[in-house]
DNA sequence: GTCGTGAATTGACCCGCATCAAACAACTTT
DNA sequence: AAAGTTGTTTGATGCGGGTCAATTCACGAC
C-alpha cells in the first residue's frame, strides 16, 4: 500500500459522490485539502475492529467489505461499499474506534479524509452536518433492511429481492452484471456461497438465468411473488 | 389514545434523556414548546410502515417495538425502545415515511415532538445537529450489533450476551429483572419465544437461574465463554 | 386463598441452511 | 495443449431453530 495525493480524476469521483454532492462547495474543497489516497490489493485489511480511526474512507474504485469476527473466527458482513461510498462516519461520532474490520474485496483505491477536520466542519457548518445526517440515515436504513431481510426472508427470497433492486422499474425482462464476485454477494446477503448458488438454481424456475456474473431476468412477476 | 400537553414530570424525563441532555438548553426548550403527549394501551399501533410521519417520538414510559412485516404476515423486530429513547429520527432525514411499524409493547406514554421544528433547529444550530449525529451513530451501531449477532451467534450465545450486557463489570455473580416480557426479548433477539425459553434452559448448566422475570447469574466466566 | 387468563415451557417434528467433500468450469501459467 | 489456480456448482449430512400442540406456570381479579 502506498499513499499519494489526489489526482484530478480522484477529485472528480469524490465530488460526484452521493455524499460530497450534498456538501456545501467550500466545505467540500476544505476537506479535499487534507485528503490522501491509498491503493490496496485484494484482501488487504484497511482497519481492524477496535483500531483507533483517524480517517474517513471513500472508495474511489474497487470494493470494501466491512465485517465482524465471531469468537470462532467466522466472518459476518455488515456492509459492502462501492465506488463513491463513505466508510467510518459512525466511528467519528462514537469513541473513534472501529466497530468492525474493513478489507478490500478487490484491488481498490481509497481516499482518506481527516475525520478531525470533517468533525470540525460539521460543528461549524450546518450544511455539512446536514449532509452527514442524511448519510447516516441512509446507512441506518440499509442496515435495518438487512436485518429485516435476514429475519423474514429465505435465501432465494433475498436473492430475488437483490435482483429486483437492480431492475429498472417498468421493465418486464432485463439483464445486468453483478458488480462483484458471487462470494461477496453471498456474504452481503448473509449466506454461505453454496447457499447463494442453490438459491440461484431455485430461481431458475422463475425465469432467472445466470451466466457467470451476468444475471438475466425473464419474468419479473414470478420473481416478485417469490 | 388521547393527546395532552406535557406535565412537569414529563419534561423532567425528557430533559434527562440521553438525547436531550446533549442538546443546547435553548434548543431543548424550543422543542418542548410544541410537544404533545399521548397515552397508549398495549398493542396500540403508533404508526405503520410507509405512513407519513410528522413527529419524532420519545418514550416517557412503557415500551415501543419497531418491526417490519413479511409478505406472510410474520413480524421481525428492528428495535425496542424504552424510557427516554427517541424514535423516528431516521425518517426525518429520509422521505418522511416510516420504514417500519411501531407498536406499544405495554401501556405507554409517548411524547411527540414536531419533526419539522427539530429539523429546522438542526439546520440553524450545529449543537442540535451534533446531538442528532451522535444519536444516529449510536442507533446505527446497535443495529449493526444486532445484525452481527444474528449472523454469528446461536440462540444461547445471544441470550448470554444479553445477560452479560446487563452485568455490572467486575461482579462475578449478580441478578437483575428483565425490563420487559420474555416475548419481547425473544423478538429483540430475533428468536421465537420457544427458542428463548430453550436457550435459558441450556444456560442453566452455566449457572443461570430464571425465576419469572428475574435472572440470576452464578458464574460469569461460564457465560462469557459460551 | 381460589380461579382464570395469558405467558412461558416442553415435546415432537420439520425445514432451511451451514458444513464438508468432491466435481466442474473458467482462467493463468508453463 | 497440459497443469495449476481460483471461483462456482452439486451432493450428502447434520444442526439450529421455527412451528404446532399440549402442558404448566405466574400473576392479577375476586
Amino acid at each position: 500500500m502506498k499513499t499519494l495525493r489526489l489526482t484530478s480524476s480522484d477529485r472528480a469521483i469524490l465530488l460526484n459522490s452521493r455524499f460530497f454532492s450534498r456538501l456545501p462547495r467550500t466545505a467540500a474543497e476544505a476537506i479535499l485539502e487534507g485528503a490522501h489516497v491509498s491503493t490496496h490489493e485484494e484482501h488487504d485489511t484497511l482497519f481492524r475492529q477496535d483500531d483507533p480511526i483517524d480517517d474517513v474512507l471513500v472508495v474511489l474504485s474497487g470494493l470494501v467489505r466491512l465485517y465482524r469476527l465471531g469468537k470462532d473466527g467466522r466472518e459476518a458482513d455488515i456492509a459492502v461499499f462501492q465506488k463513491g461510498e463513505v466508510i467510518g462516519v459512525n466511528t467519528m461520532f462514537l469513541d473513534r474506534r472501529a466497530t468492525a474490520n474493513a478489507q478490500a474485496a478487490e484491488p481498490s483505491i481509497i481516499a482518506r479524509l481527516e475525520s478531525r477536520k470533517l468533525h470540525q466542519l460539521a460543528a461549524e457548518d450546518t450544511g455539512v452536518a446536514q449532509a452527514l445526517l442524511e448519510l447516516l440515515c441512509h446507512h441506518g436504513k440499509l442496515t435495518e433492511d438487512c436485518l429485516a431481510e435476514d429475519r423474514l426472508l429465505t435465501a432465494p427470497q433475498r436473492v430475488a429481492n437483490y435482483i429486483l433492486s437492480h431492475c429498472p422499474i417498468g421493465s418486464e425482462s432485463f439483464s445486468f452484471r453483478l458488480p462483484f464476485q458471487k462470494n461477496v454477494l453471498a456474504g452481503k446477503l448473509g449466506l454461505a456461497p453454496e447457499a447463494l448458488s442453490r438459491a440461484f438454481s431455485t430461481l431458475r424456475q422463475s425465469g432467472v438465468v445466470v451466466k457467470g456474473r451476468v444475471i438475466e431476468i425473464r419474468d419479473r412477476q414470478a420473481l416478485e411473488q417469490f
Side-chain angles (χ1 to χ4, degrees), chain A:
Chain A
M1 177 204 117
K2 37 182 189 171
T3 300
L4 307 162
R5 311 233 68 208
L6 291 177
T7 69
S8 64
S9 84
D10 293 340
R11 288 174 55 96
I13 294 175
L14 284 174
L15 291 171
N16 282 322
S17 70
R18 180 188 188 109
F19 173 60
F20 273 80
S21 64
R22 291 169 198 258
L23 227 44
R25 183 154 322 167
T26 60
E29 294 294 340
I31 292 169
L32 289 188
E33 268 316 300
H36 287 258
V37 173
S38 60
T39 61
H40 301 269
E41 318 215 329
E42 189 169 352
H43 298 136
D44 270 12
T45 294
L46 303 188
F47 56 76
R48 271 184 251 275
Q49 196 164 347
D50 300 323
D51 275 359
I53 301 290
D54 295 320
D55 295 318
V56 167
L57 310 186
V58 186
V59 180
L60 294 175
S61 76
L63 200 67
V64 174
R65 212 166 64 85
L66 199 69
Y67 63 96
R68 300 238 187 126
L69 286 173
K71 273 201 283 283
D72 51 0
R74 280 201 351 276
E75 303 180 350
D77 285 31
I78 302 294
V80 170
F81 298 91
Q82 307 194 53
K83 176 158 107 170
E85 297 189 301
V86 184
I87 310 172
V89 180
N90 277 284
T91 303
M92 193 166 75
F93 293 97
L94 295 171
D95 58 358
R96 301 191 147 272
R97 303 221 161 234
T99 59
N101 305 55
Q103 176 190 66
E106 26 178 275
S108 302
I109 306 178
I110 307 293
R112 313 180 91 92
L113 317 175
E114 300 170 53
S115 50
R116 272 188 56 82
K117 194 173 208 168
L118 186 53
H119 194 301
Q120 191 188 337
L121 283 169
E124 293 166 352
D125 181 344
T126 56
V128 176
Q130 186 76 15
L132 286 169
L133 283 166
E134 286 173 20
L135 180 67
L136 284 172
C137 287
H138 184 247
H139 269 172
K141 175 163 160 31
L142 290 184
T143 316
E144 280 186 12
D145 290 350
C146 211
L147 183 62
E149 283 198 3
D150 269 25
R151 292 182 171 182
L152 289 172
L153 305 183
T154 66
Q157 288 173 323
R158 284 180 233 176
V159 176
N161 247 4
Y162 177 80
I163 293 176
L164 287 170
S165 75
H166 284 247
C167 172
I169 48 173
S171 57
E172 188 52 47
S173 93
F174 72 110
S175 81
F176 74 106
R177 190 182 155 80
L178 291 177
F180 33 66
Q181 274 179 238
K182 296 209 179 96
N183 230 336
V184 177
L185 177 58
K188 184 178 152 75
L189 298 179
L191 298 172
E194 297 95 322
L196 175 64
S197 186
R198 282 184 244 272
F200 273 132
S201 67
T202 300
L203 292 178
R204 203 159 32 219
Q205 73 194 43
S206 300
V208 174
V209 182
V210 179
K211 272 225 188 70
R213 272 202 193 178
V214 178
I215 311 289
E216 188 186 342
I217 287 80
R218 296 234 165 85
D219 182 358
R220 192 196 165 120
Q221 305 278 3
L223 261 194
E224 275 167 352
Q225 69 186 35
F226 204 94

